[in-house]
């Protein structure tokens, strides 16, 4: 109905839907990509930093599913706090405090995190995350 009225989802609505779907996928142990399709475009690409254990470009729903499964192997808990967003047309800029708990060591870190996200038809089509300190992230994995 929103589309018929010409209403665009707000940046916060887009981000909350995206994170809700991502967290459900991570926590459920699901392998079904159907869950991801409600928030992630079929032609999505996520650009992860080369220094992280899940480095590179992750393409399509298969790629995002593989990225999230890799993250599930590494992190026992992922949480987002103090979420803030800004929007310019189809691009959403978000920042938050990211909390990551290593599955291997049980150590937890919290650090600033930002992401530039491009949406098409209310689904994420491109994401570029910016981690505050990837060295700190790698240190808790050992």
């Amino acid at each position: 109905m929103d589309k018929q009225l010409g209403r665009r989802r707000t940046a916060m609505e887009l981000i909350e839907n995206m994170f809700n779907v991502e967290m459900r996928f991570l926590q459920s142990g699901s392998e079904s990509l159907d869950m991801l399709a409600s928030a992630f475009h079929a032609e999505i690409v996520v650009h992860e930093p080369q220094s992280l254990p899940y480095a590179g470009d992750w393409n399509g729903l298969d790629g995002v599913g593989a990225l999230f499964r890799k993250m599930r192997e590494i992190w026992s808990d992922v949480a987002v706090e103090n979420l803030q967003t800004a929007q310019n047309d189809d691009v959403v800029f978000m920042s938050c405090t990211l909390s990551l708990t290593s599955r291997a060591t049980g150590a937890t870190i919290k650090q600033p995190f930002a992401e530039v996200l491009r949406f098409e038809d209310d689904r994420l089509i491109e994401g570029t995350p910016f981690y505050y300190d990837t060295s700190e992230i790698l240190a808790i994995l050992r």
Side-chain angles (χ1 to χ4, degrees):
M1 186 165 167
D2 288 347
K3 287 284 186 193
Q4 293 172 351
L5 298 176
R7 181 185 176 277
R8 289 181 60 178
R9 291 172 107 181
T10 67
M12 191 60 79
E13 289 171 333
L14 291 167
I15 296 298
E16 285 177 343
N17 181 55
M18 181 194 74
F19 276 136
N20 181 31
V21 169
E22 180 179 347
M23 295 305 170
R24 276 195 348 249
F25 188 86
L26 287 172
Q27 294 168 356
S28 71
S30 175
E31 298 299 318
S32 172
L33 299 179
D34 293 340
M35 180 187 301
L36 298 177
S38 65
F40 298 90
H41 194 280
E43 296 176 21
I44 184 170
V45 60
V46 176
H47 311 283
E48 289 288 348
Q50 290 303 311
S51 57
L52 293 181
Y54 36 87
D57 290 344
W58 300 84
N59 297 287
L61 290 176
D62 287 334
V64 168
L67 168 62
F68 292 161
R69 285 190 291 277
K70 182 73 172 171
M71 291 174 76
R72 187 187 303 147
E73 291 171 12
I74 294 169
W75 308 117
S76 62
D77 189 41
V78 176
V80 172
E81 301 169 350
N82 307 316
L83 183 62
Q84 297 182 5
T85 62
Q87 186 172 11
N88 185 7
D89 293 325
D90 61 350
V91 176
V92 173
F93 305 90
M94 60 82 49
S95 66
C96 66
T97 301
L98 182 63
S99 176
L100 300 168
T101 303
S102 168
R103 190 171 298 284
T105 67
T108 299
I109 60 166
K110 286 187 177 189
Q111 60 177 238
F113 176 79
E115 209 164 356
V116 178
L117 305 160
R118 189 167 54 88
F119 288 84
E120 186 175 297
D121 298 326
D122 293 339
R123 293 176 296 154
L124 182 66
I125 192 163
E126 184 175 21
T128 305
F130 296 91
Y131 298 84
Y132 180 73
D133 187 346
T134 57
S135 294
E136 182 184 33
I137 291 171
L138 293 173
I140 71 163
L141 298 177
R142 299 182 190 112

